[in-house]
Tab-separated table of all heavy atoms in Angstrom:
chain	number	residue	atom	x	y	z
A	123	SER	N	-16.469	16.280	-16.651
A	123	SER	CA	-17.001	15.081	-17.217
A	123	SER	C	-18.262	14.533	-16.548
A	123	SER	O	-18.755	13.440	-16.877
A	123	SER	CB	-15.908	13.915	-17.140
A	123	SER	OG	-15.572	13.678	-15.832
A	124	SER	N	-18.734	15.366	-15.580
A	124	SER	CA	-19.969	14.906	-14.885
A	124	SER	C	-21.229	15.326	-15.626
A	124	SER	O	-21.219	16.396	-16.365
A	124	SER	CB	-19.986	15.631	-13.575
A	124	SER	OG	-18.915	15.197	-12.648
A	125	LEU	N	-22.267	14.631	-15.463
A	125	LEU	CA	-23.682	14.975	-15.837
A	125	LEU	C	-24.169	15.965	-14.661
A	125	LEU	O	-24.091	15.525	-13.489
A	125	LEU	CB	-24.517	13.883	-16.107
A	125	LEU	CG	-24.044	12.884	-17.206
A	125	LEU	CD1	-25.047	11.664	-17.332
A	125	LEU	CD2	-24.077	13.591	-18.587
A	126	VAL	N	-24.787	16.985	-15.086
A	126	VAL	CA	-25.220	18.023	-14.042
A	126	VAL	C	-26.676	18.270	-14.237
A	126	VAL	O	-27.128	18.458	-15.284
A	126	VAL	CB	-24.387	19.308	-14.173
A	126	VAL	CG1	-24.842	20.264	-13.091
A	126	VAL	CG2	-22.890	19.029	-14.047
A	127	GLY	N	-27.507	18.242	-13.061
A	127	GLY	CA	-28.913	18.645	-13.250
A	127	GLY	C	-29.784	17.751	-12.415
A	127	GLY	O	-29.386	17.253	-11.336
A	128	GLN	N	-30.985	17.585	-12.904
A	128	GLN	CA	-31.972	16.811	-12.192
A	128	GLN	C	-32.367	15.563	-12.952
A	128	GLN	O	-32.200	15.567	-14.228
A	128	GLN	CB	-33.204	17.683	-12.015
A	128	GLN	CG	-32.990	18.867	-11.024
A	128	GLN	CD	-34.318	19.610	-10.712
A	128	GLN	OE1	-35.301	19.404	-11.403
A	128	GLN	NE2	-34.253	20.455	-9.737
A	129	ILE	N	-32.886	14.620	-12.270
A	129	ILE	CA	-33.287	13.284	-13.040
A	129	ILE	C	-34.815	13.401	-13.281
A	129	ILE	O	-35.600	13.576	-12.369
A	129	ILE	CB	-32.928	12.096	-11.950
A	129	ILE	CG1	-31.496	12.080	-11.727
A	129	ILE	CG2	-33.504	10.824	-12.647
A	129	ILE	CD1	-31.138	11.025	-10.743
A	130	SER	N	-35.087	13.132	-14.555
A	130	SER	CA	-36.476	13.190	-14.969
A	130	SER	C	-37.259	12.008	-14.616
A	130	SER	O	-36.712	10.818	-14.650
A	130	SER	CB	-36.456	13.465	-16.495
A	130	SER	OG	-37.833	13.334	-17.112
A	131	HIS	N	-38.592	12.189	-14.403
A	131	HIS	CA	-39.466	11.028	-14.085
A	131	HIS	C	-39.687	10.161	-15.337
A	131	HIS	O	-40.277	9.075	-15.288
A	131	HIS	CB	-40.930	11.558	-13.614
A	131	HIS	CG	-40.907	12.104	-12.200
A	131	HIS	ND1	-40.287	13.260	-11.836
A	131	HIS	CD2	-41.351	11.525	-11.099
A	131	HIS	CE1	-40.519	13.393	-10.555
A	131	HIS	NE2	-41.148	12.349	-10.021
A	132	SER	N	-39.135	10.624	-16.454
A	132	SER	CA	-39.401	9.840	-17.690
A	132	SER	C	-38.655	8.449	-17.654
A	132	SER	O	-39.074	7.558	-18.328
A	132	SER	CB	-38.834	10.613	-18.883
A	132	SER	OG	-37.385	10.832	-18.825
A	133	LEU	N	-37.767	8.325	-16.740
A	133	LEU	CA	-37.012	7.059	-16.584
A	133	LEU	C	-38.001	5.947	-16.124
A	133	LEU	O	-37.769	4.813	-16.236
A	133	LEU	CB	-35.872	7.168	-15.554
A	133	LEU	CG	-34.689	7.849	-16.014
A	133	LEU	CD1	-33.615	7.886	-14.960
A	133	LEU	CD2	-34.128	7.411	-17.294
A	134	LEU	N	-39.126	6.375	-15.559
A	134	LEU	CA	-40.178	5.360	-15.166
A	134	LEU	C	-40.699	4.460	-16.357
A	134	LEU	O	-41.218	3.419	-16.145
A	134	LEU	CB	-41.357	6.030	-14.496
A	134	LEU	CG	-41.196	6.428	-13.069
A	134	LEU	CD1	-42.319	7.195	-12.535
A	134	LEU	CD2	-40.979	5.207	-12.121
A	135	ASP	N	-40.479	5.011	-17.541
A	135	ASP	CA	-40.940	4.275	-18.725
A	135	ASP	C	-39.952	3.102	-19.048
A	135	ASP	O	-40.173	2.274	-19.918
A	135	ASP	CB	-41.044	5.243	-19.937
A	135	ASP	CG	-42.287	6.114	-19.766
A	135	ASP	OD1	-43.206	5.802	-19.054
A	135	ASP	OD2	-42.192	7.204	-20.350
A	136	LEU	N	-38.842	3.042	-18.424
A	136	LEU	CA	-37.833	1.922	-18.562
A	136	LEU	C	-38.227	0.832	-17.566
A	136	LEU	O	-37.508	0.599	-16.608
A	136	LEU	CB	-36.424	2.454	-18.304
A	136	LEU	CG	-35.973	3.660	-19.126
A	136	LEU	CD1	-34.538	4.037	-18.762
A	136	LEU	CD2	-36.100	3.449	-20.669
A	137	LYS	N	-39.351	0.130	-17.938
A	137	LYS	CA	-39.874	-0.818	-16.985
A	137	LYS	C	-39.110	-2.132	-16.823
A	137	LYS	O	-39.368	-2.849	-15.904
A	137	LYS	CB	-41.352	-1.057	-17.361
A	137	LYS	CG	-42.227	0.156	-17.402
A	137	LYS	CD	-43.713	-0.253	-17.712
A	137	LYS	CE	-44.584	1.047	-17.813
A	137	LYS	NZ	-44.646	1.793	-16.553
A	138	TYR	N	-38.213	-2.336	-17.721
A	138	TYR	CA	-37.473	-3.563	-17.716
A	138	TYR	C	-35.933	-3.345	-17.213
A	138	TYR	O	-35.195	-4.225	-17.299
A	138	TYR	CB	-37.411	-4.165	-19.089
A	138	TYR	CG	-38.820	-4.619	-19.466
A	138	TYR	CD1	-39.673	-3.782	-20.246
A	138	TYR	CD2	-39.247	-5.980	-19.199
A	138	TYR	CE1	-40.959	-4.171	-20.725
A	138	TYR	CE2	-40.503	-6.414	-19.675
A	138	TYR	CZ	-41.343	-5.456	-20.323
A	138	TYR	OH	-42.601	-5.845	-20.734
A	139	LEU	N	-35.833	-2.132	-16.693
A	139	LEU	CA	-34.370	-1.772	-16.250
A	139	LEU	C	-34.020	-2.669	-15.039
A	139	LEU	O	-34.808	-2.713	-14.093
A	139	LEU	CB	-34.356	-0.369	-15.896
A	139	LEU	CG	-32.998	0.356	-15.808
A	139	LEU	CD1	-32.309	0.373	-17.113
A	139	LEU	CD2	-33.145	1.692	-15.154
A	140	ASN	N	-32.797	-3.316	-15.124
A	140	ASN	CA	-32.312	-4.089	-14.022
A	140	ASN	C	-30.989	-3.625	-13.535
A	140	ASN	O	-30.460	-4.181	-12.569
A	140	ASN	CB	-32.291	-5.559	-14.404
A	140	ASN	CG	-31.346	-5.940	-15.510
A	140	ASN	OD1	-30.217	-5.437	-15.650
A	140	ASN	ND2	-31.828	-6.757	-16.453
A	141	TYR	N	-30.353	-2.592	-14.163
A	141	TYR	CA	-29.039	-2.136	-13.862
A	141	TYR	C	-29.075	-0.636	-14.080
A	141	TYR	O	-29.410	-0.124	-15.128
A	141	TYR	CB	-27.994	-2.765	-14.700
A	141	TYR	CG	-26.530	-2.463	-14.426
A	141	TYR	CD1	-25.756	-3.397	-13.792
A	141	TYR	CD2	-26.026	-1.234	-14.719
A	141	TYR	CE1	-24.371	-3.092	-13.487
A	141	TYR	CE2	-24.667	-0.895	-14.402
A	141	TYR	CZ	-23.912	-1.850	-13.743
A	141	TYR	OH	-22.598	-1.573	-13.467
A	142	LEU	N	-28.753	0.163	-12.941
A	142	LEU	CA	-28.727	1.588	-13.070
A	142	LEU	C	-27.547	2.076	-12.230
A	142	LEU	O	-27.382	1.939	-11.062
A	142	LEU	CB	-30.077	2.168	-12.406
A	142	LEU	CG	-30.113	3.792	-12.437
A	142	LEU	CD1	-29.977	4.278	-13.848
A	142	LEU	CD2	-31.452	4.211	-11.804
A	143	ASP	N	-26.674	2.878	-13.029
A	143	ASP	CA	-25.506	3.383	-12.337
A	143	ASP	C	-25.343	4.851	-12.774
A	143	ASP	O	-25.154	5.273	-13.924
A	143	ASP	CB	-24.201	2.646	-12.787
A	143	ASP	CG	-22.969	3.018	-12.016
A	143	ASP	OD1	-22.997	4.091	-11.380
A	143	ASP	OD2	-21.964	2.215	-12.012
A	144	LEU	N	-25.584	5.788	-11.774
A	144	LEU	CA	-25.465	7.234	-11.960
A	144	LEU	C	-24.357	7.807	-11.114
A	144	LEU	O	-24.355	8.959	-10.797
A	144	LEU	CB	-26.818	7.898	-11.680
A	144	LEU	CG	-27.945	7.465	-12.533
A	144	LEU	CD1	-29.293	8.102	-12.019
A	144	LEU	CD2	-27.733	7.802	-14.015
A	145	SER	N	-23.454	6.992	-10.710
A	145	SER	CA	-22.403	7.417	-9.730
A	145	SER	C	-21.453	8.503	-10.253
A	145	SER	O	-21.222	8.592	-11.377
A	145	SER	CB	-21.580	6.185	-9.286
A	145	SER	OG	-20.960	5.514	-10.354
A	146	SER	N	-20.972	9.217	-9.225
A	146	SER	CA	-19.916	10.263	-9.483
A	146	SER	C	-20.305	11.321	-10.438
A	146	SER	O	-19.472	11.888	-11.206
A	146	SER	CB	-18.668	9.593	-9.959
A	146	SER	OG	-18.178	8.681	-8.964
A	147	ASN	N	-21.648	11.643	-10.492
A	147	ASN	CA	-22.112	12.785	-11.234
A	147	ASN	C	-22.399	13.885	-10.293
A	147	ASN	O	-22.168	13.946	-9.125
A	147	ASN	CB	-23.284	12.391	-12.164
A	147	ASN	CG	-22.789	11.511	-13.304
A	147	ASN	OD1	-22.141	11.941	-14.209
A	147	ASN	ND2	-23.226	10.309	-13.306
A	148	ASP	N	-23.062	14.941	-10.826
A	148	ASP	CA	-23.391	16.073	-9.934
A	148	ASP	C	-24.900	16.480	-10.090
A	148	ASP	O	-25.277	17.100	-11.049
A	148	ASP	CB	-22.586	17.335	-10.419
A	148	ASP	CG	-22.811	18.493	-9.408
A	148	ASP	OD1	-23.500	18.352	-8.479
A	148	ASP	OD2	-22.164	19.623	-9.655
A	149	PHE	N	-25.660	15.951	-9.116
A	149	PHE	CA	-27.047	16.186	-9.142
A	149	PHE	C	-27.477	17.258	-8.134
A	149	PHE	O	-28.599	17.330	-7.662
A	149	PHE	CB	-27.882	14.954	-8.884
A	149	PHE	CG	-27.677	13.891	-10.015
A	149	PHE	CD1	-26.895	12.767	-9.839
A	149	PHE	CD2	-28.260	14.112	-11.244
A	149	PHE	CE1	-26.694	11.862	-10.831
A	149	PHE	CE2	-28.075	13.182	-12.239
A	149	PHE	CZ	-27.331	12.089	-12.110
A	150	GLN	N	-26.482	18.155	-7.809
A	150	GLN	CA	-26.697	19.424	-7.151
A	150	GLN	C	-27.532	19.427	-5.872
A	150	GLN	O	-28.315	20.334	-5.684
A	150	GLN	CB	-27.319	20.373	-8.245
A	150	GLN	CG	-26.387	20.577	-9.455
A	150	GLN	CD	-27.059	21.549	-10.440
A	150	GLN	OE1	-28.194	21.505	-10.782
A	150	GLN	NE2	-26.201	22.362	-10.973
A	151	GLY	N	-27.287	18.439	-5.062
A	151	GLY	CA	-27.919	18.401	-3.783
A	151	GLY	C	-29.406	18.045	-3.741
A	151	GLY	O	-30.060	18.121	-2.742
A	152	ASN	N	-29.844	17.672	-4.955
A	152	ASN	CA	-31.238	17.141	-4.966
A	152	ASN	C	-31.352	15.760	-4.247
A	152	ASN	O	-30.436	14.987	-4.179
A	152	ASN	CB	-31.800	17.011	-6.439
A	152	ASN	CG	-31.945	18.357	-7.049
A	152	ASN	OD1	-32.678	19.097	-6.709
A	152	ASN	ND2	-31.112	18.582	-8.139
A	153	PRO	N	-32.482	15.511	-3.658
A	153	PRO	CA	-32.721	14.158	-3.011
A	153	PRO	C	-32.820	13.064	-4.037
A	153	PRO	O	-33.099	13.344	-5.252
A	153	PRO	CB	-33.936	14.333	-2.187
A	153	PRO	CG	-34.728	15.435	-2.970
A	153	PRO	CD	-33.714	16.283	-3.490
A	154	ILE	N	-32.559	11.845	-3.604
A	154	ILE	CA	-32.734	10.615	-4.520
A	154	ILE	C	-34.208	10.565	-4.722
A	154	ILE	O	-35.033	10.592	-3.855
A	154	ILE	CB	-32.168	9.449	-3.769
A	154	ILE	CG1	-30.723	9.469	-3.569
A	154	ILE	CG2	-32.552	8.155	-4.633
A	154	ILE	CD1	-30.124	8.290	-2.682
A	155	PRO	N	-34.592	10.413	-6.033
A	155	PRO	CA	-36.024	10.481	-6.355
A	155	PRO	C	-36.698	9.240	-5.726
A	155	PRO	O	-36.223	8.109	-5.751
A	155	PRO	CB	-36.036	10.323	-7.861
A	155	PRO	CG	-34.692	10.813	-8.353
A	155	PRO	CD	-33.740	10.496	-7.212
A	156	ASN	N	-37.970	9.453	-5.213
A	156	ASN	CA	-38.770	8.396	-4.658
A	156	ASN	C	-39.092	7.342	-5.677
A	156	ASN	O	-39.205	6.111	-5.295
A	156	ASN	CB	-39.989	8.932	-4.026
A	156	ASN	CG	-39.801	9.837	-2.845
A	156	ASN	OD1	-38.718	9.711	-2.160
A	156	ASN	ND2	-40.757	10.691	-2.511
A	157	PHE	N	-39.227	7.708	-6.961
A	157	PHE	CA	-39.717	6.751	-7.896
A	157	PHE	C	-38.649	5.652	-8.320
A	157	PHE	O	-38.987	4.704	-8.970
A	157	PHE	CB	-40.159	7.491	-9.228
A	157	PHE	CG	-38.985	8.152	-10.043
A	157	PHE	CD1	-38.242	7.389	-10.913
A	157	PHE	CD2	-38.831	9.449	-10.003
A	157	PHE	CE1	-37.259	7.962	-11.667
A	157	PHE	CE2	-37.821	10.059	-10.701
A	157	PHE	CZ	-36.980	9.300	-11.534
A	158	PHE	N	-37.483	5.853	-7.700
A	158	PHE	CA	-36.424	4.786	-7.933
A	158	PHE	C	-36.900	3.508	-7.269
A	158	PHE	O	-36.509	2.406	-7.705
A	158	PHE	CB	-35.093	5.176	-7.374
A	158	PHE	CG	-34.261	6.048	-8.289
A	158	PHE	CD1	-34.771	6.603	-9.512
A	158	PHE	CD2	-32.971	6.418	-7.955
A	158	PHE	CE1	-34.059	7.348	-10.321
A	158	PHE	CE2	-32.198	7.181	-8.788
A	158	PHE	CZ	-32.717	7.628	-9.995
A	159	GLY	N	-37.824	3.607	-6.280
A	159	GLY	CA	-38.412	2.458	-5.654
A	159	GLY	C	-39.332	1.637	-6.487
A	159	GLY	O	-39.774	0.609	-6.156
A	160	SER	N	-39.598	2.199	-7.681
A	160	SER	CA	-40.611	1.516	-8.621
A	160	SER	C	-39.901	0.626	-9.692
A	160	SER	O	-40.602	-0.128	-10.385
A	160	SER	CB	-41.416	2.553	-9.330
A	160	SER	OG	-42.149	3.369	-8.407
A	161	PHE	N	-38.558	0.671	-9.678
A	161	PHE	CA	-37.902	-0.238	-10.628
A	161	PHE	C	-37.765	-1.619	-10.093
A	161	PHE	O	-36.755	-2.126	-9.530
A	161	PHE	CB	-36.459	0.373	-10.902
A	161	PHE	CG	-36.483	1.572	-11.598
A	161	PHE	CD1	-35.920	2.760	-11.140
A	161	PHE	CD2	-36.973	1.731	-12.920
A	161	PHE	CE1	-35.807	3.950	-11.767
A	161	PHE	CE2	-37.019	2.907	-13.569
A	161	PHE	CZ	-36.418	4.093	-13.085
A	162	GLU	N	-38.919	-2.394	-10.094
A	162	GLU	CA	-38.970	-3.616	-9.433
A	162	GLU	C	-38.014	-4.730	-9.966
A	162	GLU	O	-37.685	-5.590	-9.236
A	162	GLU	CB	-40.406	-4.166	-9.631
A	162	GLU	CG	-41.417	-3.315	-8.970
A	162	GLU	CD	-42.832	-3.800	-9.210
A	162	GLU	OE1	-42.950	-4.856	-9.961
A	162	GLU	OE2	-43.815	-3.263	-8.645
A	163	ARG	N	-37.452	-4.526	-11.148
A	163	ARG	CA	-36.571	-5.543	-11.645
A	163	ARG	C	-35.157	-5.195	-11.383
A	163	ARG	O	-34.145	-5.957	-11.693
A	163	ARG	CB	-36.731	-5.679	-13.264
A	163	ARG	CG	-38.086	-6.007	-13.653
A	163	ARG	CD	-38.249	-5.972	-15.236
A	163	ARG	NE	-39.534	-6.304	-15.685
A	163	ARG	CZ	-39.872	-7.529	-16.015
A	163	ARG	NH1	-38.976	-8.505	-16.065
A	163	ARG	NH2	-41.063	-7.787	-16.568
Side-chain angles (χ1 to χ4, degrees):
S123 60
S124 297
L125 298 177
V126 182
Q128 295 184 348
I129 298 176
S130 171
H131 285 73
S132 65
L133 289 183
L134 279 173
D135 289 335
L136 307 179
K137 299 183 182 302
Y138 295 89
L139 197 66
N140 61 45
Y141 185 106
L142 177 60
D143 192 340
L144 300 175
S145 61
S146 300
N147 287 294
D148 184 6
F149 295 108
Q150 300 181 315
N152 290 298
I154 297 173
N156 292 339
F157 70 81
F158 277 7
S160 300
F161 293 119
E162 298 178 354
R163 298 174 182 265

